[in-house]
Amino acid sequence: MMTGLFISELERTFKRKKTAAVLAVYAGLLAFIWFFFQRGGISFFDADHDVKIDSLNSAPLLLRDLSFAITFIVIPMFVADSFNGEYTSGALRMVLIRRHHRVKLFFVKWAVQCLLVFIILCITWLVGTCLGRMVMPHVNETTFLGGQTLGTVGALLYSLKFYGICFCIFIAVISIGSILSVLMPNSILSYVATIGALIGSVYVSDKLSFFFSVTDSVFHELSRPNSEFLVNLLFPILLISLIINLFVWKKKEWVG
């Protein structure tokens, strides 16, 4: 039952023209950024720390240049289309007519959105890692923010950890966007509300700045020994947003 719902949601997602358009735009942006990435040879950990791109640090630095598009274009558009677009178009009514459990349907839709972002991150990591080794200056060790000097294996593990934390932040963005998409009357307002919430989080607390500058925040967290960012901040936000999602999802009159 759950597998059938998941496959059905995947099929509906990839049949949407918006999904193909957004993925095409991201692929073009990835190629565009990489072209100037290798031509310039310089990137940044944050606004105050520049760094030379090499064969070991290219994957995290490539995501830094693309994370803004993922946070403010890719995820809000995907989530608004899935959680709001299907409701306003009437497609969700056809799914709920089959008496699927609402909680299962929510988690299926949420999981598909997470899978899409995971695939995007995997492709970005592969491009950054493989082309970095082939095109960028070869080095045996590289230095990340905070003075961490790592060899080949250490840099690879750093890169995987970097992408993993970014993925967790993107999941939180998906969860927040899904709440707003359920509450808003149409997909355009859902998209705008999600963007507004992400930008507004900076003014609520400096600790929430990772929603606005994802990779800069992750570089800083990885430069701190024994950082408890995931346990103390990100996971509680993710848990609370999921609880709110389930409450709103169950109370929403989808077929009225």
Side-chain angles (χ1 to χ4, degrees):
M1 183 72 165
M2 199 76 165
T3 303
L5 271 176
F6 187 81
I7 294 174
S8 175
E9 179 65 21
L10 273 178
E11 290 177 346
R12 293 200 307 277
T13 297
F14 282 101
K15 284 180 179 179
R16 297 183 196 122
K17 294 181 179 179
K18 287 183 182 179
T19 301
V22 172
L23 291 176
V25 168
Y26 184 80
L29 187 60
L30 177 60
F32 179 80
I33 293 294
W34 179 259
F35 174 76
F36 287 98
F37 197 69
Q38 60 172 329
R39 291 289 295 272
I42 299 291
S43 188
F44 302 87
F45 292 127
D46 59 23
D48 300 319
H49 300 87
D50 60 357
V51 58
K52 290 184 178 180
I53 307 169
D54 58 47
S55 58
L56 298 181
N57 65 16
S58 55
L61 293 174
L62 179 61
L63 181 58
R64 182 187 186 274
D65 289 342
L66 290 162
S67 63
F68 189 86
I70 296 174
T71 307
F72 290 95
I73 299 176
V74 175
I75 293 177
M77 290 195 71
F78 280 163
V79 172
D81 210 29
S82 175
F83 285 88
N84 187 286
E86 284 195 344
Y87 170 60
T88 54
S89 68
L92 194 58
R93 295 181 181 88
M94 299 303 295
V95 177
L96 289 171
I97 283 175
R98 299 179 182 180
R99 300 185 181 276
H100 295 300
H101 197 286
R102 288 189 176 196
V103 173
K104 287 184 179 180
L105 183 58
F106 164 75
F107 276 113
V108 163
K109 295 177 79 63
W110 180 80
V112 167
Q113 297 305 305
C114 293
L115 177 62
L116 283 173
V117 174
F118 180 76
I119 291 172
I120 287 172
L121 288 179
C122 285
I123 293 172
T124 305
W125 181 82
L126 283 172
V127 170
T129 301
C130 296
L131 291 185
R133 299 293 176 85
M134 293 186 291
V135 178
M136 304 311 296
H138 178 77
V139 295
N140 293 319
E141 60 181 26
T142 191
T143 302
F144 290 98
L145 186 66
Q148 300 178 75
T149 300
L150 303 173
T152 302
V153 175
L156 177 62
L157 293 176
Y158 181 98
S159 175
L160 291 173
K161 188 175 182 180
F162 181 89
Y163 272 72
I165 296 176
C166 288
F167 180 54
C168 291
I169 295 175
F170 291 143
I171 291 176
V173 174
I174 290 171
S175 301
I176 292 171
S178 62
I179 296 172
L180 296 171
S181 293
V182 171
L183 295 174
M184 293 294 107
N186 60 63
S187 56
I188 295 177
L189 287 178
S190 299
Y191 177 84
V192 173
T194 302
I195 300 300
L198 296 175
I199 295 175
S201 65
V202 179
Y203 299 97
V204 174
S205 172
D206 290 340
K207 293 182 178 180
L208 299 177
S209 61
F210 62 86
F211 281 125
F212 185 77
S213 54
V214 175
T215 51
D216 290 23
S217 299
V218 175
F219 275 126
H220 278 276
E221 289 301 322
L222 291 177
S223 70
R224 299 168 184 159
N226 304 318
S227 171
E228 296 182 346
F229 165 73
L230 288 176
V231 175
N232 292 340
L233 187 59
L234 186 56
F235 286 164
I237 289 175
L238 180 56
L239 179 61
I240 291 171
S241 63
L242 284 176
I243 292 173
I244 296 173
N245 258 307
L246 291 175
F247 176 79
V248 174
W249 184 265
K250 291 174 71 174
K251 294 296 182 180
K252 179 76 173 182
E253 183 55 58
W254 295 108
V255 294

